[in-house]
Amino acid sequence: MADSLPEHDRILQEIESTDTACVGPTLRSVYDDQPNAHQRFMEKLDACIRNHDREIEKMCNFHHQGFVDAITELLKVRADAEKLKVQVTDTNRRLQDAGKEVIAQTEEIIRCRVQQRNITTVVEKLQLCLPVLEMYSKLKEQMNVKRYYSALKTMEQLENLYLPRVSQYRFCQIMIENLPKLREEIKEISMSDLKDFLESIRKHSDRIGETAMKQAQQQKTFSTTLQKQNNINYGRNMHLGRSRILESKNEITLKRTFEEDDEHEEEVLTAQDLVDFSPVYRCLHIYSVLGDGEIFENYYRKQRRKQARLVLQPQSSMHETVEGYRRYFSQIVGFFVVEDHILHVTQGLVTRTYTDELWNMALSKIIAVLRTHSSYCSDPDLVLELKNLIVVFADTLQGYGFPVNRLFDLLFEIRDQYNETLLKKWSGLFRDIFEADNYSPIPVANEEEYKIVISKFPFQDPELDKQSFPKKLPMSQSVPQIYIQVKEFIYASLKFSESLHRSSTEIDDMLRKSTNLLLTRTLSSCLQNLIKKPHIGLTELVQIIINTTHLEQACKYLEDFISNITNISQVTVHTARLYGLSTFKDARHAAEGEIYTKLNQKIDEFIQIADYDWTMSESDGRASGYLMDLINFLRSTFQVFTHLPGKVAQTACMSACQHLSTSLMQMLLDSELKQISMGAIQQFNLDVIQCELFASSEPVPGFQGDTLQLAFIDLRQDMKDKEVGPVVRFYLPTRTVP
């Protein structure tokens, strides 16, 4: 019992000192204690309560007087408090009245602050959107000025950097939806520009090519003339005759070239100057940015191949004028100049393999076209112009790195055709010269005329030089003209050989072969045809033989002429010789044969007018008139033969006498002649005597003894031995011609 009391005190202390929320466990311990502990705790609690009441009462008694004093004080200040309340109320009223304006202004300030905050928010949002709008505006401006590549870059920035920041706004969604459409629009526009570009270069490729060829030709001319000028300065005169004239012209050309370079050095045009390549670059960049670079490359190459086929297709009348060829070559050069430029300024659009393949295809077509169309050319000047164009064409494209060896091989084929056209042209020139010739020795009245002739033809005759003026040169006017034309032919042939990148030896060989063709085929044919013409008489034939003799002697001067041009010595092993000797010998033999034939024909004409009266009683006492005319004709003819070689004149004389003897014998032995009178026999004998007298008079010098008289020995023998009719048989004594 005594032990539980301290425990109750402890519990009470915990209850007093502990928060009411924790009283439960403490009270529970009271009930968990010994039996009747609850009663004892209640008693202890009542005692504690009474104890506290007594303490409270003591405290109240102690403070009661102070409370009373405080109430008293409050009552004293009550009136003052009422008065203060009235004053405060009045002050509050007046303050409220005065604060209405402040409140209004405050509300206005609050509203402004809200607006300011909203504006700040709007500004922040606009500052976020403004770059997007600026970029989109920039995009539109770039589209308007056709800066499509920059526009694509702007789109890329919009999509990757700017639009994600403002993707929550509706206008941003509209922009995002429009960007793919703009890309397609850019592709279509750039492709349209590319098509316009392709059409433009197709139309203007000839101008591009013409400019490139002109520049290549000027560069080559400048280099050539400069090299020749240096050779002149070092005293190396490589050519004679015409080459000196060419050097003089080259000096003038070089001077003009320098002057033109000084005046127009800023006017040099290139492919970039003539063509705006920006559509190609732009389209290439655009398609590359869009990831369609391969599609663009395939399209470009396909279209250019189509254009190449169109460019390589010649006009049907191209072979008629040099302008047709020039336009054809200019278009091709323009095409490949553009491709070469594209090759070097773009990466991958075209490749060297592609251009080489395109060039090989074009080269095969070009060669086939030139073979076909050049075969129609009959004018050597046109063929020469074609050759020059091919050389310039080849040099131009070679300067751009394209192989052109096949073109120079083609030039050798065209050279043969050029020679054929030259031969045809010179055949006409030779015919005209022969037609215009009077076939008489050239008269020279004074020294000046003589020098003019020998300046055209290398003639030397010491005996003739000793004669005084006026005098005559043995050849006719056609000889110096033929000689000059042969030299002109050599010049014309040389023109084609120039710029073919061949050695002097090869050029010399080509010139000699061409000249041989001219002599052995063209000139020989013209001479043969001339000799066979009916209007060419014996006098003309004699002059032709004399002319061919002098032309034959001039062949060595032609060989020297070729050697001087090519600077190749004639002693070189591989140097070909001219075949003019055989040509003129053959012509001479033909003329000699024609002389024999025409003499015989003339004799036959005289024989045909013979009118013997085979029944005449006695002769006329003199030779027949026709025979005397014939003999006079032969005498005058053989006098012309004095300029012929001795054997030719002797052979002609012997042939004429033999033919005359044979003709008279056939007349005497005619089967229709049944009988002959003694008078007719005597008349015929007088004619034979005149023939023998003619033979013994040595009409042509050089016969030994009575060689020419032997031509009539058979006739005399037949007159003795042959029976001339069934009744009459005559024998004539042998006549010895004094």
Side-chain angles (χ1 to χ4, degrees), residues 647-664:
K647 291 183 179 180
V648 177
Q650 292 170 11
T651 303
C653 186
M654 177 60 75
S655 174
C657 291
Q658 289 177 346
H659 186 72
L660 176 57
S661 175
T662 302
S663 298
L664 291 173

Side-chain angles (χ1 to χ4, degrees), residues 612-621 676-683:
Y612 285 103
D613 183 5
W614 299 109
T615 60
M616 64 190 311
S617 58
E618 58 181 18
S619 66
D620 294 336
I676 229 176
S677 66
M678 185 57 67
I681 293 174
Q682 292 174 353
Q683 183 65 42

Side-chain angles (χ1 to χ4, degrees), residues 538 595-611 626-627 630-631 633-634 655-667:
L538 292 172
I595 286 176
Y596 307 150
T597 302
K598 287 188 178 294
L599 271 175
N600 294 339
Q601 290 176 350
K602 198 66 177 178
I603 292 172
D604 290 340
E605 291 176 4
F606 280 100
I607 294 296
Q608 287 176 0
I609 64 175
D611 187 16
Y626 85 91
L627 186 65
L630 172 58
I631 290 175
F633 166 76
L634 292 176
S655 174
C657 291
Q658 289 177 346
H659 186 72
L660 176 57
S661 175
T662 302
S663 298
L664 291 173
M665 185 183 300
Q666 290 176 350
M667 187 186 300

Side-chain angles (χ1 to χ4, degrees), residues 340-615:
D340 181 77
H341 180 76
I342 294 295
L343 172 66
H344 287 89
V345 300
T346 61
Q347 295 181 352
L349 181 56
V350 296
T351 62
R352 175 57 66 181
T353 303
Y354 161 79
T355 55
D356 289 344
E357 177 185 352
L358 202 59
W359 169 245
N360 290 331
M361 180 272 292
L363 189 58
S364 299
K365 179 66 175 179
I366 292 168
I367 291 175
V369 168
L370 291 178
R371 279 199 183 111
T372 301
H373 284 263
S374 63
S375 62
Y376 299 142
C377 296
S378 58
D379 182 6
D381 294 333
L382 180 58
V383 178
L384 183 62
E385 289 288 343
L386 173 60
K387 168 258 175 183
N388 293 332
L389 283 175
I390 293 176
V391 170
V392 175
F393 173 74
D395 290 342
T396 303
L397 289 175
Q398 190 175 31
Y400 285 92
F402 296 99
V404 294
N405 293 334
R406 291 173 61 188
L407 286 174
F408 284 101
D409 293 338
L410 174 67
L411 284 175
F412 281 91
E413 299 179 20
I414 298 179
R415 181 199 63 188
D416 296 335
Q417 180 185 346
Y418 175 71
N419 287 336
E420 289 297 326
T421 58
L422 284 181
L423 292 175
K424 291 180 181 178
K425 179 179 179 180
W426 257 256
S427 176
L429 293 175
F430 289 153
R431 287 196 301 268
D432 294 341
I433 291 173
F434 290 142
E435 289 292 336
D437 194 9
N438 58 7
Y439 297 97
S440 300
I442 302 175
V444 287
N446 50 48
E447 183 73 20
E448 184 178 355
E449 292 183 3
Y450 180 73
K451 289 181 178 179
I452 292 175
V453 175
I454 63 175
S455 66
K456 298 178 181 178
F457 181 76
F459 174 75
Q460 295 178 354
D461 189 347
E463 295 296 329
L464 186 63
D465 292 341
K466 296 177 183 179
Q467 298 179 13
S468 60
F469 294 98
K471 52 187 175 183
K472 292 183 178 181
L473 303 182
M475 64 279 190
S476 65
Q477 290 287 351
S478 63
V479 172
Q481 293 176 1
I482 291 293
Y483 184 79
I484 291 173
Q485 288 302 323
V486 172
K487 291 174 66 175
E488 289 297 326
F489 177 87
I490 295 172
Y491 282 137
S493 183
L494 176 64
K495 288 180 181 178
F496 195 94
S497 301
E498 294 173 343
S499 305
L500 292 185
H501 307 298
R502 296 294 171 176
S503 65
S504 298
T505 303
E506 291 176 306
I507 293 176
D508 182 88
D509 185 62
M510 286 188 288
L511 290 180
R512 292 178 184 273
K513 288 181 178 178
S514 300
T515 307
N516 278 330
L517 282 175
L518 178 71
L519 296 176
T520 59
R521 197 171 78 183
T522 304
L523 183 55
S524 176
S525 175
C526 290
L527 284 171
Q528 296 292 342
N529 293 334
L530 175 66
I531 291 168
K532 299 295 183 181
K533 286 186 176 181
H535 70 275
I536 297 297
L538 292 172
T539 304
E540 288 82 0
L541 290 171
V542 171
Q543 189 62 53
I544 289 172
I545 293 176
I546 297 172
N547 290 349
T548 54
T549 302
H550 288 284
L551 287 172
E552 179 182 342
Q553 295 171 356
C555 284
K556 62 179 182 179
Y557 296 100
L558 291 176
E559 291 188 344
D560 294 338
F561 176 73
I562 295 175
S563 297
N564 290 334
I565 289 178
T566 60
N567 200 33
I568 298 296
S569 174
Q570 296 186 42
V571 299
T572 306
V573 177
H574 301 289
T575 301
R577 301 299 177 188
L578 295 183
Y579 301 145
L581 299 178
S582 60
T583 297
F584 298 122
K585 284 181 180 178
D586 293 342
R588 215 165 28 248
H589 292 327
E592 292 169 4
E594 194 67 20
I595 286 176
Y596 307 150
T597 302
K598 287 188 178 294
L599 271 175
N600 294 339
Q601 290 176 350
K602 198 66 177 178
I603 292 172
D604 290 340
E605 291 176 4
F606 280 100
I607 294 296
Q608 287 176 0
I609 64 175
D611 187 16
Y612 285 103
D613 183 5
W614 299 109
T615 60

Side-chain angles (χ1 to χ4, degrees), residues 94-359:
R94 287 187 287 107
L95 183 62
Q96 290 294 330
D97 294 338
K100 287 181 181 180
E101 184 177 354
V102 176
I103 291 172
Q105 292 179 355
T106 302
E107 291 178 352
E108 182 67 21
I109 290 173
I110 293 172
R111 188 178 62 80
C112 290
R113 290 286 178 86
V114 173
Q115 289 180 349
Q116 185 178 11
R117 185 172 63 251
N118 292 339
I119 290 173
T120 302
T121 303
V122 170
V123 169
E124 291 177 355
K125 298 301 181 181
L126 286 177
Q127 287 177 345
L128 191 62
C129 296
L130 188 60
V132 178
L133 298 174
E134 289 177 349
M135 291 298 289
Y136 196 80
S137 176
K138 180 181 178 182
L139 172 62
K140 287 294 186 179
E141 183 179 355
Q142 290 170 341
M143 292 287 292
N144 292 333
V145 298
K146 299 182 178 182
R147 295 175 57 192
Y148 301 118
Y149 180 72
S150 300
L152 288 176
K153 290 296 184 182
T154 303
M155 288 186 197
E156 186 176 351
Q157 292 179 357
L158 277 172
E159 287 182 328
N160 298 331
L161 184 62
Y162 292 96
L163 289 178
R165 300 175 184 175
V166 292
S167 58
Q168 67 273 21
Y169 299 111
R170 187 173 60 182
F171 76 89
C172 178
Q173 297 299 324
I174 296 175
M175 290 183 182
I176 293 174
E177 294 174 359
N178 285 338
L179 290 182
K181 298 178 181 178
L182 291 176
R183 282 195 176 92
E184 290 300 321
E185 181 182 352
I186 289 175
K187 285 180 65 175
E188 292 176 359
I189 294 174
S190 61
M191 182 57 68
S192 176
D193 291 344
L194 176 67
K195 292 178 180 178
D196 294 340
F197 166 79
L198 293 175
E199 181 65 21
S200 175
I201 60 174
R202 187 187 68 82
K203 292 181 179 178
H204 299 94
S205 59
D206 55 341
R207 185 185 174 198
I208 301 170
E210 184 178 353
T211 302
M213 291 171 68
K214 186 181 297 183
Q215 291 175 357
Q217 191 173 14
Q218 290 175 348
Q219 180 65 29
K220 183 177 180 180
T221 302
F222 177 79
S223 301
T224 303
T225 51
L226 185 60
Q227 182 180 3
K228 290 185 178 181
Q229 182 69 20
N230 292 335
N231 292 341
I232 294 173
N233 292 336
Y234 283 101
R236 299 191 324 200
N237 188 1
M238 304 300 292
H239 305 290
L240 300 175
R242 184 180 180 89
S243 61
R244 290 178 179 171
I245 299 175
L246 291 176
E247 286 176 355
S248 177
K249 291 181 179 179
N250 288 333
E251 292 179 25
I252 297 174
T253 303
L254 179 63
K255 182 178 180 181
R256 290 178 178 175
T257 301
F258 282 125
E259 292 175 353
E260 291 176 359
D261 287 343
D262 293 337
E263 294 176 1
H264 307 292
E265 57 182 359
E266 296 182 357
E267 297 182 4
V268 178
L269 300 177
T270 61
Q272 299 93 312
D273 300 321
L274 298 174
V275 180
D276 180 16
F277 288 93
S278 58
V280 180
Y281 308 148
R282 186 164 54 243
C283 199
L284 175 61
H285 292 160
I286 289 172
Y287 273 75
S288 299
V289 169
L290 296 177
D292 296 332
E294 185 176 355
I295 295 175
F296 172 73
E297 292 172 9
N298 293 334
Y299 176 81
Y300 177 83
R301 295 182 184 182
K302 181 180 179 181
Q303 294 301 315
R304 290 297 280 165
R305 281 194 179 94
K306 290 182 179 179
Q307 289 188 347
R309 295 187 184 95
L310 293 176
V311 167
L312 294 171
Q313 189 66 32
Q315 296 181 353
S316 58
S317 60
M318 184 179 72
H319 62 278
E320 296 178 357
T321 61
V322 68
E323 289 302 323
Y325 287 108
R326 180 176 287 111
R327 179 176 176 80
Y328 180 68
F329 287 130
S330 298
Q331 288 178 341
I332 297 173
V333 171
F335 178 89
F336 283 100
V337 165
V338 170
E339 289 305 288
D340 181 77
H341 180 76
I342 294 295
L343 172 66
H344 287 89
V345 300
T346 61
Q347 295 181 352
L349 181 56
V350 296
T351 62
R352 175 57 66 181
T353 303
Y354 161 79
T355 55
D356 289 344
E357 177 185 352
L358 202 59
W359 169 245

